Amino acid sequence: MLIRVKAENFKSFDSVTELSMVSSDKIEGKTNHSVCVNKVKLLKNAVVYGANASGKTNIIEIFNFIQICLRDGLPLETAGFFCKNKESNAEKPSSFEIQFSVGERIFAYGFSAILKSHSIIEEWLYELTNGEKCIFESKKNIVPHLNLADISENERSRFITYAEDYTAGSTSLFLAELNRNKRYSPKSPLYVFKLVYDWLTDGMKVYRTNEHVSTFEMFYNNQQLQELNKLIRTFDTGITDSYISDISLEELKEKLSPSVYRKILENIKKLKEHNDFSDGFSLRSDKDFINVKMNKDDEPAVTVIKLKHENSFYDFELSEESDGTRHLFDLIDVLMTNTEDVVYIFDELERSLHPKLTEHFLRLFNDKYTGLKVQLIFTTHEASIMDQALFRHDEIWFVERDAEGSSNLYSLDRFKEKYDRKISKSYLEGRYGAVPVFKSFDGFSTVEVDGNGTI
């Protein structure tokens, strides 16, 4: 589970910015909104509000950036990701640290880099389960040092080899190198590197605007499909059932652009050339989901998703549904996960959804994952869900730009609000900041037009 994340000198965040999931001791209600991990109470939700261009999306980008750097190293475009409100920030380190738990173990991992020069200058991994214990530190021009107890000479020698091969100051992270084509026994102390890397790259499910959650695998499992259909009916969209339907390659051709269709045929050809008839592939676009399954003797089996509507004679394809309905299937996928130690991170969770649908999803999420290690972090403009019946004070956050143009992140908890106050109304009235402040504009002038349309 996520405990906290910090960043400094990144995009609109100048000074150290922290989003904490640690439960406030002062709040006694909604005990089902927290989970205890190694005596630390962690919140299930964090909802972030703010005006347009306040920096909300950059909260999501912190998580996304950490994952990109671990998977691929520092991308070239990060040269412009430092906070640009000060000239000196170009040469100042940008730092990132994330604290999280895996099972009952607690870790802190972070790194700093000069983004303009595209160089990692420091990296660290600590275990915080029973006190603070450094596992490794890596600094520019210094070989990383291991601080693990009860480790065999063979394992220590193995680590030293990896450390000597790593070039600090490069664009890749040492933790990534420790997991690149490496295998560790679960019984080995070195397995901690896989444990940490796997959670950071897969335990955080980051979805930027218009990125999709669902692979629609649930449509190909009868039990999951039944559960999905029960869930979709509760949202009152008019959809009563969903299922997969076979179509021919000719019908597929009519659905897709010529270039996309050619690529599908190329993939089919490659699989046939390799005699790989047990495999297939899926295609996900903004409006459609298409699955292609290879057959040895016949043409590939192509399936799409169809939806039944109440009182409608004909069924509908996914592409015929609204953007909100398609987005709803992504959110339903979140409700059907059986994985723990995972945090879902959304930019604009409510995109294209009616406020009541968003509220219904949030209630289902908290009901289903009561006591489980599943968290939800999201940005939103939807003030109607800023409700004390839905969220605790320490689960609601605001982002606001200061006079210098830097983003500041703070929690509703600092306002010491009464529990009978309608906080959504107070927010829109500007009590907590993080709302647009309009300036007058004198550029418009009155124009008179006569009856003939002449000015």
Side-chain angles (χ1 to χ4, degrees), residues 30-87:
K30 291 188 177 58
T31 55
N32 64 323
H33 281 226
S34 64
V35 175
C36 191
V37 177
N38 205 330
K39 300 180 181 179
V40 179
K41 287 185 178 180
L42 299 178
L43 296 168
K44 302 294 296 295
N45 305 290
V47 49
V48 183
Y49 287 89
N52 290 100
S54 62
K56 296 190 307 301
T57 293
N58 290 338
I59 293 289
I60 309 302
E61 289 299 318
I62 292 170
F63 295 101
N64 186 59
F65 183 74
I66 291 171
Q67 287 192 329
I68 286 174
C69 290
L70 281 167
R71 289 172 178 152
D72 306 315
L74 281 174
L76 288 172
E77 63 267 25
T78 59
F81 282 5
F82 60 88
C83 184
K84 295 180 179 177
N85 66 337
K86 294 177 184 175
E87 184 179 2

Side-chain angles (χ1 to χ4, degrees), residues 11 68 90 95 108 113 173 198 232 245 285 306 330 390-391 445 449:
K11 295 200 170 183
I68 286 174
S95 298
L173 289 163
D198 285 352
I232 196 66
S245 177
S285 68
K306 289 286 186 72
D330 284 325
L390 275 177
F391 297 110
S445 59
V449 182

